[in-house]
Amino acid sequence: MDGFTAFINKYGGAIVGLIVGIILAVLIVFTNFYKVILGIALIIACVWLGAYIQRNKDSVKEKTKNFIDKL
């Protein structure tokens, strides 16, 4: 029993990830679930970009100004 518990403690996250990955793969193949995943990825990317711009407002302004000046 200690061997099984040690195995679960060591590889539990990988096992859960495997199960979730298989479920997602089946959903992506047999449905249009990839559109949902793409939408979620787009939302996360936009949230990250907005937070980055808010934290680095001055440097983003300067980089944007330099880019426009090059055009």
Side-chain angles (χ1 to χ4, degrees):
M1 192 60 147
D2 289 331
F4 180 72
T5 305
F7 178 79
I8 294 297
N9 286 338
K10 187 172 183 180
Y11 298 110
I15 293 169
V16 171
L18 173 71
I19 293 169
V20 170
I22 291 171
I23 291 170
L24 285 177
V26 168
L27 286 174
I28 288 169
V29 169
F30 294 115
T31 65
N32 286 331
F33 192 65
Y34 68 92
K35 292 179 183 177
V36 174
I37 292 174
L38 184 61
I40 291 170
L42 183 64
I43 290 169
I44 291 171
C46 290
V47 167
W48 177 82
L49 182 65
Y52 176 80
I53 291 172
Q54 184 179 7
R55 280 185 270 131
N56 302 306
K57 193 180 304 182
D58 295 328
S59 66
V60 171
K61 280 183 184 177
E62 187 65 33
K63 289 178 184 177
T64 305
K65 182 181 177 288
N66 290 339
F67 177 73
I68 292 173
D69 288 342
K70 287 181 182 178
L71 293 177

